[in-house]
């Protein structure tokens, strides 16, 4: 039905995507696109990545039937355990893929942005492994709430550069990483962490994350004998969601549901649910749904989870939603906290606050499903990094 | 592709400059709304009095990823004073009759999309805007937008960088009008001590494919820079350095006089 789903020659998924970048970046991005397409077609590159994913990152990750959570929810729930990868989140899948690509393209210097710090840690890890110089831009506010990840990156040999502009979160870290890239473009590889940004990033990041869905689809069929009714994932930029959705796109009986960050409430500056308050626009090189004001300035966002605290959503999500293939909901900070505690107490798993948004939507989702329905939840990361935040929030 | 190139104030200005031996055009950039739109009006009049050949009016945007710290801070001040694209268009319209130099609007793409490209083009025409440069709208994305502007007699100013390939230079030469804006170095906007080494070569490469006037920018802050650029390009663009002057004088009653004095010095 949807087939391979490469964007068109200009990088569009339907009306979304494209390449809205300053002139200086056009030629380097064209070089990146050519480099990526060549690597994708090269069996040696794929073998090298597969080897690292298997023996270094710990893939395949388990699919775990969460029986106590299932009893609690009233539907059978299966968790795809991306939290069990090396570095503790799905981000490593993309970081290893792109770091290999950087090395293949002869770039010795890597820059990245990070929100929750998971992408920064994954990038620092991949750079250490492959002997690349690594600089990670991180908003001052995120450095405060994800202090543990800052130290992890530094221990891995990366330089963490503090960003004090704008809202001091992920959006501003991307601005600063792009400024670095535009300045040092000849020797620098920009390792973007989500399915966002100018073409070819949304395509490339999806492809590196598609391993999640490939594994999960085979695992759930093996364990339960059939496909699930729903695949559920949290959506910030949308890389873990598009990664797990990918293998199910052509299974019309499987609903694909993304959960955005509802924050405190759906009001300007208080949430990060692009489909609840956004309009089409351009941010960071891609045309998609963006939270913005009447004058076209990007709105501040809020979420208890740094990884979902971003004003735009990956362009392919916007396209799939237009086509009616995917659907999106949002849960509040308070609900996410409840999801976090539910999973901890019922299953002995501390999820990342990002992933807790998907868990938190289960009760509401369950009501729309027949008894006996199966739900696959992508548990995108583990929650060690969030313990402090959760403690403060519960106090 | 084949419609007649607009022949407005920008073309006239550069034609006049080319007829004056030894003259270097001066393109001045300011961030509209820094410190507020009322004082921007005074600054624009001062630029006109001081003899700026082209005035670039920067539209503040929340995420100016191609700009360095000086213009980022100016943008923050402008947004804090409530400046919007719509307000900037109104201001230009109000002042148009009393400002001799052509006016180029300098913007990121999202505020324009939010207003609507066609509505934006209509309002530019009504305000008397002569050219529009959109920082994050490369030629691949600019086609339809350019048509909307051209049909209203407004030039689309394209930006060229040291990383622009010869093939793209040719495409920009075919699509651009008014003048071509060459940036002399990689990186974000900001004043520097010297002109980039590759700047002359950059201008030579553009000259080889286009008869359009060339303005060279990024890093220019002194009269000697302007004179040096004038030996190979049609005009020099001064942005961050002027924005710094405005930032320093921003709260004082001498703001307009300081701007006028600085621009006269650049032209000396």
């Amino acid at each position: 039905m949807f087939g391979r789903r490469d964007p068109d020659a200009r990088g569009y998924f339907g009306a979304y995507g494209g390449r809205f970048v300053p002139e200086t970046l056009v030629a380097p991005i064209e070089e990146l696109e050519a480099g990526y397409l060549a690597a994708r077609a090269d069996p040696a590159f794929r073998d090298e990545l597969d080897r690292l994913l298997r023996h270094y990152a710990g893939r395949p990750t388990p699919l775990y039937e969460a029986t106590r959570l299932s009893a609690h929810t009233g539907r059978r729930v299966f968790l795809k355990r991306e939290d069990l990868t090396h570095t503790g989140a799905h981000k490593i899948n993309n970081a290893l893929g792109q770091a290999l690509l950087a090395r293949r393209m002869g770039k010795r210097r890597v820059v990245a942005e990070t929100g929750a710090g998971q992408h920064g840690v994954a990038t620092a890890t991949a750079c250490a492994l492959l002997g690349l110089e690594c600089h990670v831009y991180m908003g001052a506010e995120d450095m405060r709430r994800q202090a543990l990840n800052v130290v992890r990156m530094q221990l891995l040999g990366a330089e963490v550069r503090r960003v004090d502009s704008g809202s001091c979160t992920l959006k501003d870290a991307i601005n600063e990483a792009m400024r670095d890239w535009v300045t040092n473009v000849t020797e620098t590889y920009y390792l973007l962490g989500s399915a966002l940004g100018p073409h070819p990033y949304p395509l490339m990041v999806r492809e590196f994350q598609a391993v999640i869905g490939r594994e999960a689809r085979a695992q759930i069929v093996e364990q339960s004998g059939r496909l699930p009714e729903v695949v559920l994932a949290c959506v910030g930029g949308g890389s873990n969601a598009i990664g797990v959705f990918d293998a199910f796109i052509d299974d019309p009986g499987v609903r694909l549901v993304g959960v955005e960050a509802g924050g405190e409430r759906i009001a300007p500056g208080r949430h990060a649910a692009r489909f609840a308050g956004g309009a089409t626009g351009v941010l960071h090189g891609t045309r998609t749904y963006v939270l913005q004001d009447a004058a076209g300035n990007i709105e501040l966002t809020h979420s208890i989870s740094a990884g979902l605290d971003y004003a735009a959503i990956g362009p392919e999500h916007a396209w799939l939603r237009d086509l009616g293939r995917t659907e999106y909901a949002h849960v509040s900070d308070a609900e996410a906290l409840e999801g976090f505690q539910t999973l901890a107490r019922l299953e002995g798993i501390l999820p990342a606050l990002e992933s807790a948004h998907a868990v938190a939507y289960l009760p509401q989702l369950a009501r729309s499903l027949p008894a006996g329905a199966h739900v696959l939840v992508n548990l995108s990361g583990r929650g060690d990094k969030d313990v402090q935040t959760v403690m403060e929030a519960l106090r | 592709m084949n419609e007649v190139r607009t022949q407005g104030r920008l073309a006239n200005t550069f034609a006049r400059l080319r007829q004056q031996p030894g003259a270097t055009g001066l393109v001045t950039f300011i961030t509209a709304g820094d410190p507020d739109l009322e004082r921007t009006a005074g600054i624009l009049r001062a630029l006109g009095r001081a003899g700026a050949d082209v005035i670039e009016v920067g539209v503040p945007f929340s995420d100016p990823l191609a700009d360095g710290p000086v213009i980022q801070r100016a943008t923050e001040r402008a947004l804090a004073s409530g400046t919007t694209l719509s307000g900037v268009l109104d201001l230009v319209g109000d002042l148009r009759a009393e400002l001799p130099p052509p006016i180029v609007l300098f913007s990121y793409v999202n505020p324009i999309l939010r207003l609507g490209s066609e509505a934006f083009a209509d309002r530019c025409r009504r305000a008397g805007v002569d050219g529009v440069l959109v920082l994050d709208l490369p030629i691949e994305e600019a086609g339809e937008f350019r048509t909307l502007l051209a049909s209203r007699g407004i030039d689309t100013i394209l930006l060229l960088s040291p990383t622009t390939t010869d093939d793209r230079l040719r495409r920009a030469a075919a699509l651009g009008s008014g003048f071509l804006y060459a940036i002399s170095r990689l990186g974000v906007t900001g004043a520097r001590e010297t002109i980039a080494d590759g700047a002359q070569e950059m201008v030579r490469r553009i000259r080889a494919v286009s008869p359009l006037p060339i303005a060279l920018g990024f890093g220019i802050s002194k009269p000697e820079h302007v004179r040096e650029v004038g030996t190979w390009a049609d005009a020099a663009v001064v942005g961050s350095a002027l924005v710094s002057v405005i930032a320093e004088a921003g709260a004082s009653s001498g703001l307009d006089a300081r701007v006028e004095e600085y621009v006269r010095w650049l032209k000396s």
Side-chain angles (χ1 to χ4, degrees):
Chain A
M1 177 166 61
F2 288 88
R4 193 170 173 107
R5 296 179 8 264
D6 269 16
D8 70 16
R10 289 166 62 220
Y12 277 86
F13 296 94
Y16 308 101
R19 191 178 273 165
F20 296 85
V21 294
E23 175 63 26
T24 297
L25 289 180
V26 173
I29 288 179
E30 285 175 347
E31 179 195 347
L32 171 65
E33 182 186 14
Y36 168 66
L37 293 177
R40 178 166 87 161
D42 179 357
F45 179 83
R46 292 203 304 269
D47 287 350
E48 172 72 353
L49 180 56
D50 285 349
R51 186 184 69 79
L52 287 179
L53 288 175
R54 176 173 294 273
H55 300 296
Y56 182 75
R59 304 207 71 90
T61 56
L63 182 78
Y64 162 69
E65 182 171 358
T67 47
R68 296 192 69 212
L69 181 65
S70 298
H72 177 77
T73 310
R75 307 289 181 272
R76 279 178 78 180
V77 179
F78 298 79
L79 302 177
K80 179 59 174 165
R81 299 292 307 275
E82 291 301 295
D83 60 314
L84 292 178
T85 56
H86 179 47
T87 71
H90 72 291
K91 295 291 186 189
I92 192 72
N93 305 325
N94 170 56
L96 285 171
Q98 286 200 56
L100 279 176
L101 179 60
R103 192 179 66 178
R104 180 187 164 103
M105 291 175 67
K107 309 279 184 185
R108 305 299 306 168
R109 182 177 182 274
V110 167
V111 295
E113 81 296 335
T114 197
Q118 290 303 105
H119 173 60
V121 167
T123 302
T125 298
C127 287
L129 178 71
L130 299 178
L132 303 169
E133 180 188 329
C134 180
H135 305 272
V136 180
Y137 289 90
M138 189 168 187
E141 167 64 13
D142 289 338
M143 285 180 75
R144 186 191 62 77
R145 54 182 168 176
Q146 304 288 348
L148 178 66
N149 275 342
V150 174
V151 182
R152 287 170 81 195
M153 287 184 269
Q154 289 163 341
L155 291 172
L156 290 160
E159 188 202 351
V160 181
R161 297 188 172 180
R162 178 190 163 101
V163 178
D164 281 306
S165 54
S167 55
C168 305
T169 62
L170 179 57
K171 161 176 93 78
D172 312 285
I174 296 179
N175 290 340
E176 216 46 53
M178 289 188 89
R179 289 180 188 124
D180 182 314
W181 191 23
V182 88
T183 306
N184 305 295
V185 67
T186 330
E187 69 275 12
T188 299
Y189 183 96
Y190 179 25
L191 207 161
L192 183 59
S194 196
L196 297 164
H199 175 64
Y201 285 104
L203 166 69
M204 178 164 68
V205 176
R206 179 194 83 199
E207 295 284 283
F208 286 137
Q209 294 295 1
V211 64
I212 304 172
R214 271 199 305 278
E215 289 175 5
R217 191 176 185 281
Q219 287 167 322
I220 199 162
V221 167
E222 193 198 324
Q223 288 182 28
S224 71
R226 62 177 181 84
L227 292 171
E229 272 70 17
V230 179
V231 176
L232 185 63
C234 66
V235 188
S239 73
N240 92 82
I242 203 72
V244 73
F245 290 172
D246 187 71
F248 298 92
I249 293 276
D250 284 328
D251 298 320
V254 181
R255 282 171 63 193
L256 305 175
V257 180
V259 183
E260 298 185 279
E264 291 168 1
R265 60 184 190 282
I266 303 300
R270 303 322 309 154
H271 72 107
R274 288 63 46 102
F275 291 132
T280 55
V282 168
L283 179 62
H284 295 141
T286 193
R287 185 171 188 278
T288 183
Y289 271 77
V290 181
L291 291 169
Q292 53 186 310
D293 66 15
N297 289 302
I298 307 308
E299 265 172 9
L300 297 184
T301 51
H302 164 82
S303 168
I304 191 168
S305 101
L308 303 184
D309 199 351
Y310 182 66
I313 190 164
E316 194 175 359
H317 284 287
W319 177 62
L320 290 169
R321 178 175 175 267
D322 274 8
L323 296 175
R325 184 61 194 95
T326 53
E327 45 191 296
Y328 298 85
H330 53 84
V331 302
S332 68
D333 286 350
E335 290 168 311
L337 272 169
E338 218 173 288
F340 181 98
Q341 295 173 90
T342 301
L343 197 65
R345 290 182 187 164
L346 291 180
E347 298 290 349
I349 297 170
L350 296 181
L353 276 171
E354 290 77 16
S355 324
H357 281 70
V359 175
Y361 187 61
L362 275 171
Q364 214 176 315
L365 175 69
R367 285 196 288 276
S368 72
L369 297 174
H374 298 181
V375 181
L376 168 66
V377 180
N378 193 28
L379 201 67
S380 56
R382 71 179 185 218
D384 309 45
K385 69 183 175 62
D386 294 317
V387 167
Q388 181 100 15
T389 305
V390 172
M391 245 170 56
E392 283 170 20
L394 292 178
R395 197 172 284 154
Chain B
M1 288 282 286
N2 292 322
E3 78 251 40
V4 179
R5 293 290 173 88
T6 49
Q7 290 294 328
R9 280 191 205 91
L10 279 166
N12 294 339
T13 296
F14 282 102
R16 169 177 60 75
L17 285 166
R18 281 185 174 181
Q19 280 163 6
Q20 295 170 3
T24 303
L26 181 65
V27 179
T28 53
F29 171 95
I30 58 139
T31 299
D34 172 30
D36 54 42
L37 276 181
E38 199 184 343
R39 275 177 281 190
T40 296
I43 292 167
L44 290 174
R45 291 190 189 99
L47 293 174
R49 284 196 301 276
D53 296 293
V54 177
I55 297 176
E56 284 183 350
V57 177
V59 177
F61 174 55
S62 55
D63 293 78
L65 58 81
D67 284 300
V70 169
I71 294 178
Q72 286 177 48
R73 296 297 92 77
T75 294
E76 286 163 9
R77 289 188 296 270
L79 291 173
S81 76
T83 309
T84 62
L85 171 58
S86 188
V88 175
L89 285 163
D90 286 342
L91 177 73
V92 170
D94 290 347
L95 292 182
R96 181 66 275 184
E98 51 180 301
L99 284 178
I103 292 180
V104 173
L105 228 53
F106 208 88
S107 183
Y108 288 85
V109 71
N110 200 55
I112 294 172
L113 294 177
R114 188 67 168 162
L115 195 60
S117 298
E118 192 154 7
F120 170 77
D122 282 339
R123 292 202 47 193
C124 282
R125 180 181 52 188
R126 287 207 299 276
V129 167
D130 300 287
V132 176
L133 189 156
V134 187
L135 266 160
D136 50 354
L137 197 71
I139 49 180
E140 288 77 4
E141 297 286 353
E144 197 184 321
F145 185 66
R146 175 186 166 277
T147 307
L148 287 173
L149 292 178
S151 65
R152 289 160 179 80
I154 300 165
D155 290 311
T156 300
I157 314 301
L158 295 175
L159 202 143
L160 304 167
S161 145
T163 60
T164 305
T165 59
D166 286 338
D167 179 50
R168 289 178 62 78
L169 283 185
R170 278 188 290 274
R171 290 165 65 193
L175 283 170
S177 63
F179 66 97
L180 293 170
Y181 185 143
I183 58 176
S184 60
R185 63 179 81 230
L186 301 177
V188 294
T189 54
R192 308 290 202 291
E193 278 306 303
T194 57
I195 304 295
D197 288 341
Q200 186 175 1
E201 168 62 13
M202 173 89 202
V203 172
R204 192 198 60 73
R205 284 176 59 213
I206 301 170
R207 288 264 192 250
V209 297
S210 175
L212 281 171
I214 300 171
L216 187 91
F218 273 34
I220 296 168
S221 61
K222 298 172 179 173
E224 50 267 39
H225 294 161
V226 175
R227 282 195 296 273
E228 185 186 345
V229 166
T231 57
W232 4 280
D234 295 271
V237 187
V238 177
S240 294
L242 174 58
V243 171
S244 290
V245 167
I246 293 168
E248 282 161 24
S252 76
S253 58
L255 173 63
D256 299 351
R258 182 71 193 95
V259 167
E260 189 173 340
E261 176 195 19
Y262 177 67
V263 172
R264 285 189 195 281
W265 177 67
L266 286 173
K267 287 186 71 95
S268 65

